[in-house]
Structures are given as C-alpha cells and as structure tokens.
Amino acid sequence: MDFSITEEQRQLVETARKFTRERIIPVAQKLDEHGTFPIDICKEGWELGLMNVEIPSEYGGLGLSCLDHVLMMEEINYGCAGIGTTLAGNNLACMPLLLGGSEEQKRHYLGMLTEAPIFAAYACSEPDAGSDVAGMRTTVRKVGDEYVMTGQKRWITNGGYASWYSVFGRIGDPKDRHKGVTCFVVPRDLAGVSVGKKEDKLGQRASNTTDVLFEEVKLTRKNLVGGEGEGFKIAMKTFDRSRPWIAAGATGIMRRALDESRRYALERKAFGQPIAQFQAIQFMLAEMAMKYEATRLLMLKAAWSIGEGRIDAIESSYAKAFGADSAMAVATDAVQIFGGYGYTKEYPVEKLMRDAKLLQIYEGTSQIQRMVIARNLLAQGA
Amino acid sequence: MQIDLSEEQRLLRDTCREFADKELRPNAKKWDREHRFPAEAVKKLFELGLGGVAVPSEWGGAGMDNVSYALAIEEISRGCASTGVTLSVNNSLYCDPIAKYGTDGQKESFLTPYARGEKLGCFGLTEPQAGSDAAEQRTTAVRKGDSYLINGTKNWITNGPVADAIVLFTMTDLSKGTKGITCFVVETKTPGFVRQKADEKLGICASPSCTIFFENMEVPISQRLGQEGDGFKIAMSTLDGGRIGIGAQAIGIGRAAFEEARDYSKIRKTFDIPIFQHQAIQFMLADMATALDAARLLVLRAAWLKDQGKRHTRESSMAKLFASEAANRVADKAVQIHGGMGYSKELDVERHFRDARITEIYEGTSEIQRLVISNLLLK
C-alpha cells in the first residue's frame, strides 16, 4: 500500500495549480457571468499540456494515466468547474475511439486534437434520452455500404466548438433497445451537421453546452467506431473511465469551498468573536474536510484501478456518486458559513454551489450511479 | 500510488476472515446474549499472533504493519464486534504506548507477554467526570520515596474485568491541567486495584468493561511510562492509533450488517418480486457499500501514514468519525431492509445495530473527532 504520489505527478499538480492561480481564478467569475467560452485559457492549457492528457503518445498526446489526469483536474476545478469541464471534453470525445476505433481513425482524429488547440465532443444524450441511453432516437439507416444519420443530440459539452463528434445512433428497431446502438465519428463539416441552441445554464456557465443536429448525414464505414451494435458497450465503458474525472471536479470544488470558508470564518466576527470560534462553524468545516478527503480517496482508488487495467464500474460509480453528492453538500455549507455574503456574487462560494449541482447530473446522475452500484453488488454474495 | 495489499497483508486478512466465519459468526449471538467474554476465541486469535500485530517481533509481536492491523480488526469485528474491540484495546491502547514510550525493562515485563497474547491489557483514561475532557482527571499519584500512591476511579474500562495490566493515567500535579498528567503501567493484581462489577451495556455485550477503584495502590517509579507530565502526550498519540482500530471495527460491523441485508434482499419477496428488485432497496444498498468503501480507504490511509512514521492525528480522526457514522447508518438501513425480522433477536442485524452505536462514543466521541479535525484545519 502506498498513498504517495510520484515526483512527476507532484510537478504536474504544481503546473496545474500555478495555471489555475494565475490564469483561471482571476477570470472565472467574469466568464461565468457572461457565459463566455474560455477560448484563450484553452489555447494556453493546450500549450501547457492540460488538454488531451489521456491520448497516448503514439497519437501525439501526453499518454498520462487516469490517476495523473484526476490529480491535475482537481487543481483546474479548484479554479473553475466550467473550465475544468471544457478542458476535459476532448478526453471524453476521444474515449470511444480509444476503446473501439481503428488505427486509422485514432491517427486522424486524435492527431487533429494534439496538432492544434481545437475541440471534439461526445454526443450521446438526447432531448428524451438521458439516463436511459438505450432509449435514444437518433437513427442510422443503412444504404448499401453507407449510413445515413438523422437525429438530435442535447447537452453536448463543447458542442458549438467541436471539429468532430463521437456520436451514438441506432441501427434498426427502437424495440431492440441497446442492441442497435452504434458509435460513429462525425466531422463537423459534413453536410447535414449543425449546431443547435446553446443552453443558458445554472452553473458551469463557461462551459459550452449545445444541441447538435444531424439531418440526413451521409457516413461510410470509415466513420463507424467499433462494430454495428457495439455502441452501447462503448458508451458504458467510456463512462467507467470518465466518472473518476467528475469526482476530480468534486474534489476541486470542495477544496475551494473549504479554503474560502476557513479564511472567512477566521475573519468574520459575530457576538464579539471570529465565527471560527463557534463549534457550529467548526463542525461544518470538519464535515467539509472529511467529505473532501473521502471523495479524494475514492477517486484515487478508481483512477488507480483503471491505470492497473483492473477497471471496476462500481469503483468509478462510488467515486462519482459520493463525490458529486458531497460537493453539493459542501458547497451549500460554504454558502451557509458566509451567510448573506455567500448568497452574493461578491464572493466565490455561490458559484461553487451552482457549479457543483451539475456534478450530480452529468456523466450519469447520482441515481444512475446507485443503479450501477446496486447491480454490481447484487451480483455478489449468497 | 499503490492501493493494493501485499501478499502478507492479504494472507492475514484471509486468515482472519476465515477465523471469523468459522469461530466468531456462529457464536457471537450467544456470547452477546449471555454477556460472555469469548475467552477461548481470544486465546486462539492470540495464538495466531493478533496480540500485537504491529509490535516488533523482538518484543513478542507479529512485526507487521498498521495496515495489516486495520485489516485484521475489520475482519474480526465482522465476525464479532466485542472480540474486535478486545483485540483493538490490547494492540492499540495497551501495547502501542509501551512499545513507543517504554524502557527496555518495561517492555520486557509489560509488553512481550501481552504482544505474545499470553496476557491481556487495558487502558485507563476515562473517569466519571472526565470523558471527552481528559484534562479533568482526578485520579492522583503522589510520590512517596521510590514509588507513587495512586487513588481515584476510572470507568468504562474495556477489558477491565479480565485484564492482567493497565496503562493508567493519573494526575501528579492537579494545578497543571494536562501538563500534570502522568502515565503508569500496573498489573491488575496489585493491592489497591479494585474492580467493580461489569457494566451492563446496549451493545458489545461480550466485551466486558467495568469501573475500577484505586485505593492507596502503590506503584514503583520503575512502572512510570515516560516522565511526570508526559501523560497527556502519551494518551493523545495512543488514541491516534486507537482510532484506526475503532474505525476498522466500525467497518467490520457495517460490513456484517451490509452483507446480511444484501443476501436477505435476494430471498425476501414483496409484491411478487425479491425486494432487491425494488430501487428503494437497491439504492440503500448502494449507499451502504459506498460509505463502507470510503471509510475503509480513510482507515487504511491513516494506518499507512502511521507506518510511514508520519503525523496522522487528523487522518485518524477523520477515519474514526467517518467509519463510525457510516457503520451506524449502514446498520440502521440493514435493520430497515430486514423489516420486522431486523428487529428480532432471531437474526444478527439487531446486534450489529446495537454494537455499531459504541463506535461513535468510545476513543473520542464524534464531537471530539470534529473538534480535533476543525482545530487542525483552523491552525
């Protein structure tokens, strides 16, 4: 057993922390207020190696592990979860290709991202199919050797900026549920691909979230990722690998909430003494710290298992569900410690609370995580 | 990072698990009901080297690490929480401070036989008026030539009714508060060591505890652990380790409750389907498993830090606090999943529910853990 991180990991954390302090924190509030996409920050982050980190080196990426990635992501999310989500988006888009793509697809599409600071997006959810992935309605018609895709995707992170999408659509009858789901890599410039409305969100407002529309888009076998009907499996395997990232978002938000709350509690006076002297406040801080530490350990364990090739869906779901629910509770408590000031935009904690809420929803809601956990648990035991 | 067990750690865990399945689980209900100390089972565990898991082998211990110790306590407690705390007290609260602060002479007499499991130790800090506020000690030790005369009362002393020796905290200077606390190690057969009848408790009924009176008990200076005034430091650093044991005990109790609830949910039917097919039940089980996994990581991290010789006060408090609260929630939900059967003495879950409760109280209440954590945060 060894809970320490390597010297390389420590340096990666230090780089991300410095970038967060100098480039993210000063602008986060303004980007949030106007819902501005952090394009300059992404370009700099790309230069520094904070994007595309899990793309293997043979495709021009950094080839870092999930563990390296979550350590880095905690730092970025300390500054702004919206920017954290934006920077991580490419990794999510790439995962289906890494899991099921051909050598040619990987060279071409992953290479695009490592050659220039551009974006790709993962497109799975639809207006009427979120948690129920197998209920998707995007259809793919086979015409000879070709495919024709029609459908509407929603909640697509970086949707408006992506140069290509990993898209899930259905071949065959909707009654076949997950069996027909198939993954395609779709360049943005193909005829029939368009970006729909941009969401105006409660939190993570710097993150670009849009509809993406596919109208009679002609695709070939070169666009097919994995085999026909393998999409559902690819989507689920992607989630097993991406959920620790959401736990990293949670640790970043919680550590920020804790730091801000501690500082405020030591300064702010009530009844003639700093509020840090009141046990009611002390115990909230203790609770916040404990939730942060427990989330971090679940995240590290899940990420470590992935790196060891011993991936376990239950561990990723433990980290994601516990982390997201904890971040929501911790950010809410931070607002409480700040009182009226916490409710204003003058201090950063109201943003933490808004940003945290999304963690309980995207990449599988907290309810979906519990379904995954329960299903795995009930396969064990007598 | 390496979140994996070594071969040696896995072997110890599996040995303890097997022992718990064979020797503890089938008997724990009976011991609980009869308030009987499982002397035979404890003896067998001591023969397996569990008297001093992390005590160096030169002093009779197994010479393993604290991660191993935590794994062992979890497994034993899954079988019987009372047996778990009996071992935890001997390892963490009795052997550990002597190994850390004792002279070679003290170790020879008071550590080796206990780490070998030939004898059993206990720990005397709490008093009727001094629980969470350990500085309120009123047991006094007055220097008289080459010995001390000790008078006072300790209560809730786990292992007290059956122990052979006690690590005992006294005041050598009442005016100095925590700086006046001095620690001794004393055999329980010493004249003036007077046990009261065993406590009647809500849970861990097979773990005997009692009040002890000290009536002009004479203890030679050679049995003083550290210097006069070192007692508070010794007590606090000992509890840093003890909390790892209680965290592990809590996980063991929680796991026992969880496993029974999981298995029951597959057998029991309502509305024509096994209750595990209801999401209401699935989600309870999911939360229980998540909490136990997070708790185990906190406990193992604290144990690992202790093995690295690093300060782990905050991490031990977090582990103990989180694990004990998780165990209570998990045991409560396990009763709920069992419904009426969970409330019945016919099954084990009601015992887990009662046993879990103590983990939020002893070795520092949940409130004390929060004080420790927040005080360190605000520094």
Side-chain angles (χ1 to χ4, degrees):
Chain A
M1 191 139 308
D2 181 2
F3 286 95
S4 62
I5 59 171
T6 63
E7 181 55 28
E8 288 81 9
Q9 287 167 337
R10 206 191 52 72
Q11 282 171 10
L12 176 69
V13 165
E14 198 38 60
T15 303
R17 189 171 290 179
K18 184 161 178 281
F19 184 71
T20 301
R21 189 173 56 233
E22 291 173 359
R23 298 291 295 117
I24 296 181
I25 290 177
V27 299
Q29 201 187 352
K30 195 152 191 139
L31 294 176
D32 172 76
E33 190 184 337
H34 301 291
T36 311
F37 190 68
I39 189 75
D40 294 337
I41 287 174
C42 288
K43 283 180 181 159
E44 286 178 54
W46 183 88
E47 289 283 347
L48 266 176
L50 302 175
M51 276 174 78
N52 307 313
V53 294
E54 291 195 43
I55 294 182
S57 49
E58 58 258 48
Y59 307 115
L62 293 168
L64 298 184
S65 66
C66 185
L67 183 58
D68 300 328
H69 194 189
V70 294
L71 289 168
M72 185 208 94
M73 282 186 77
E74 174 177 338
E75 301 305 324
I76 303 292
N77 281 275
Y78 182 95
C80 175
I83 294 172
T85 295
T86 305
L87 289 174
N90 281 4
N91 290 292
L92 184 63
C94 290
M95 199 56 85
L97 274 74
L98 287 170
L99 290 166
S102 68
E103 193 57 30
E104 194 189 335
Q105 286 170 338
K106 286 190 264 192
R107 283 203 189 288
H108 180 68
Y109 291 102
L110 307 186
M112 284 169 74
L113 303 180
T114 56
E115 276 156 25
I118 60 170
F119 299 90
Y122 180 85
C124 185
S125 291
E126 299 183 358
D128 292 311
S131 293
D132 184 7
V133 173
M136 67 173 56
R137 291 181 190 172
T138 293
T139 57
V140 178
R141 233 170 46 238
K142 287 179 79 170
V143 182
D145 272 355
E146 301 198 334
Y147 303 94
V148 179
M149 177 184 279
T150 297
Q152 182 179 10
K153 295 291 178 183
R154 181 157 286 176
W155 322 123
I156 307 309
T157 297
N158 294 349
Y161 290 84
S163 298
W164 56 265
Y165 303 94
S166 37
V167 189
F168 295 83
R170 172 188 306 291
I171 296 175
D173 195 323
K175 284 204 294 281
D176 289 340
R177 301 275 299 162
H178 61 271
K179 280 182 196 140
V181 175
T182 305
C183 181
F184 292 89
V185 56
V186 181
R188 161 89 166 268
D189 54 14
L190 284 189
V193 180
S194 62
V195 175
K197 76 173 166 97
K198 180 190 165 205
E199 301 293 346
D200 187 8
K201 305 196 299 299
L202 171 72
Q204 301 211 8
R205 292 172 55 79
S207 162
N208 174 266
T209 312
T210 69
D211 276 11
V212 181
L213 311 170
F214 302 90
E215 290 173 74
E216 296 285 304
V217 178
K218 289 197 175 63
L219 302 166
T220 69
R221 291 198 72 80
K222 287 190 168 179
N223 302 102
L224 177 67
V225 179
E228 291 179 12
E230 284 181 14
F232 187 81
K233 207 166 67 188
I234 290 173
M236 293 304 118
K237 282 184 170 179
T238 297
F239 287 133
D240 292 344
R241 287 159 177 78
S242 66
R243 283 170 181 157
W245 307 341
I246 312 304
T251 56
I253 287 175
M254 284 191 272
R255 208 177 84 216
R256 181 69 180 278
L258 186 58
D259 282 355
E260 297 290 344
S261 300
R262 172 176 45 209
R263 191 178 317 133
Y264 186 79
L266 287 165
E267 282 167 10
R268 167 74 181 182
K269 284 187 178 162
F271 306 101
Q273 57 178 353
I275 60 171
Q277 301 287 329
F278 296 109
Q279 281 195 335
I281 301 295
Q282 289 173 10
F283 281 25
M284 283 167 97
L285 291 171
E287 204 70 38
M288 293 159 82
M290 191 169 53
K291 288 190 172 122
Y292 163 71
E293 295 283 345
T295 297
R296 196 161 188 278
L297 287 165
L298 287 170
M299 168 190 86
L300 293 175
K301 187 181 176 205
W304 175 82
S305 294
I306 289 168
E308 293 291 296
R310 296 188 345 208
I311 187 159
D312 189 346
I314 202 171
E315 288 185 356
S316 294
S317 286
Y318 281 156
K320 202 272 182 188
F322 187 88
D325 293 351
S326 295
M328 194 63 238
V330 165
T332 305
D333 279 353
V335 171
Q336 194 65 24
I337 289 171
F338 275 76
Y341 291 106
Y343 204 68
T344 71
K345 305 252 175 196
E346 200 176 325
Y347 288 91
V349 287
E350 62 84 29
K351 175 175 179 295
L352 297 175
M353 190 174 151
R354 289 185 287 109
D355 288 352
K357 187 63 209 172
L358 186 52
L359 304 181
Q360 292 180 305
I361 299 172
Y362 67 3
E363 301 283 300
T365 60
S366 289
Q367 288 67 38
I368 287 293
Q369 306 312 319
R370 284 170 173 79
M371 282 172 62
V372 172
I373 293 166
R375 196 179 306 132
N376 280 277
L377 284 177
L378 291 163
Q380 305 164 4
Chain B
M1 191 138 322
Q2 170 63 46
I3 308 186
D4 216 353
L5 303 183
S6 68
E7 204 40 52
E8 191 186 44
Q9 288 163 344
R10 192 168 298 133
L11 195 67
L12 178 72
R13 183 197 64 185
D14 292 348
T15 305
C16 292
R17 187 175 291 176
E18 202 179 309
F19 185 89
D21 280 333
K22 275 197 194 143
E23 309 266 346
L24 301 176
R25 288 180 73 191
N27 297 311
K29 190 198 295 173
K30 181 177 68 195
W31 296 333
D32 170 76
R33 194 161 300 169
E34 296 170 4
H35 294 202
R36 192 204 303 173
F37 178 64
E40 276 306 305
V42 170
K43 188 161 169 272
K44 285 184 195 166
L45 284 164
F46 279 170
E47 282 162 11
L48 286 172
L50 294 173
V53 178
V55 174
S57 46
E58 57 174 315
W59 300 113
M64 298 178 79
D65 55 16
N66 286 284
V67 168
S68 305
Y69 166 62
L71 294 167
I73 296 294
E74 176 184 335
E75 296 302 330
I76 299 302
S77 302
R78 174 177 157 270
C80 171
S82 294
T83 307
V85 73
T86 301
L87 295 190
S88 178
V89 165
N90 193 66
N91 275 269
S92 288
L93 299 190
Y94 180 83
C95 289
D96 207 34
I98 300 172
K100 191 166 173 189
Y101 297 100
T103 62
D104 281 0
Q106 288 170 339
K107 287 182 195 172
E108 215 164 287
S109 317
F110 290 101
L111 179 57
T112 302
Y114 295 80
R116 274 193 195 137
E118 294 156 10
K119 291 182 175 178
L120 185 67
C122 67
F123 179 83
L125 178 67
T126 300
E127 299 188 4
Q129 309 302 322
S132 291
D133 187 1
E136 280 299 305
Q137 303 276 312
R138 286 295 171 264
T139 294
T140 55
V142 178
R143 181 77 181 262
K144 199 186 89 181
D146 283 343
S147 54
Y148 289 85
L149 217 50
I150 297 177
N151 280 286
T153 306
K154 294 287 173 184
N155 64 345
W156 320 126
I157 305 307
T158 302
N159 294 355
V162 288
D164 300 290
I166 186 169
V167 166
L168 178 64
F169 296 86
T170 66
M171 294 298 275
T172 40
D173 189 340
L174 282 166
S175 70
K176 283 191 183 161
T178 56
K179 296 213 167 67
I181 299 177
T182 301
C183 182
F184 296 89
V185 54
V186 186
E187 285 191 293
T188 56
K189 66 183 181 197
T190 308
F193 184 102
V194 185
R195 293 178 169 116
Q196 303 303 296
K197 71 175 177 61
D199 301 320
E200 295 218 20
K201 304 191 294 292
L202 170 70
I204 54 166
C205 293
S207 157
S209 67
C210 68
T211 294
I212 299 165
F213 293 152
F214 305 98
E215 297 170 350
N216 286 321
M217 181 173 75
E218 196 176 335
V219 176
I221 191 169
S222 64
Q223 288 175 223
R224 191 184 68 205
L225 213 52
Q227 302 302 311
E228 279 192 15
D230 283 352
F232 191 71
K233 185 182 75 187
I234 295 173
M236 291 305 116
S237 86
T238 299
L239 288 171
D240 285 348
R243 286 166 186 164
I244 294 170
I246 300 309
Q249 185 207 21
I251 298 165
I253 297 168
R255 219 177 89 217
F258 163 75
E259 287 172 0
E260 278 152 34
R262 177 196 62 198
D263 294 347
Y264 185 77
S265 75
K266 296 183 188 178
I267 303 165
R268 168 73 179 171
K269 285 187 177 172
T270 62
F271 307 103
D272 296 331
I273 53 174
I275 59 170
F276 84 82
Q277 292 191 15
H278 299 299
Q279 278 196 336
I281 303 295
Q282 288 177 13
F283 280 26
M284 278 195 236
L285 290 168
D287 286 343
M288 291 156 81
T290 306
L292 291 173
D293 220 53
R296 185 176 303 103
L297 285 163
L298 283 165
V299 167
L300 293 179
R301 193 223 357 209
W304 174 78
L305 282 171
K306 188 172 196 295
D307 287 329
Q308 304 305 303
K310 291 187 179 141
R311 176 117 196 247
H312 55 98
T313 304
R314 190 179 77 116
E315 288 80 4
S316 284
S317 278
M318 284 186 173
K320 195 269 190 187
L321 171 56
F322 189 94
S324 61
E325 293 193 345
N328 276 279
R329 255 189 342 268
V330 166
D332 179 53
K333 293 297 180 196
V335 170
Q336 195 65 24
I337 289 170
H338 281 81
M341 284 309 294
Y343 205 68
S344 157
K345 296 261 178 191
E346 198 179 320
L347 298 185
D348 286 331
V349 274
E350 66 83 29
R351 185 181 84 250
H352 304 319
F353 178 76
R354 289 183 287 109
D355 286 351
R357 196 64 189 83
I358 190 61
T359 62
E360 276 199 67
I361 299 171
Y362 61 14
E363 303 210 22
T365 58
S366 291
E367 290 66 38
I368 287 297
Q369 309 310 328
R370 284 184 168 82
L371 271 185
V372 170
I373 296 163
S374 56
N375 285 344
L376 288 169
L377 280 176
L378 290 164
K379 261 185 190 160

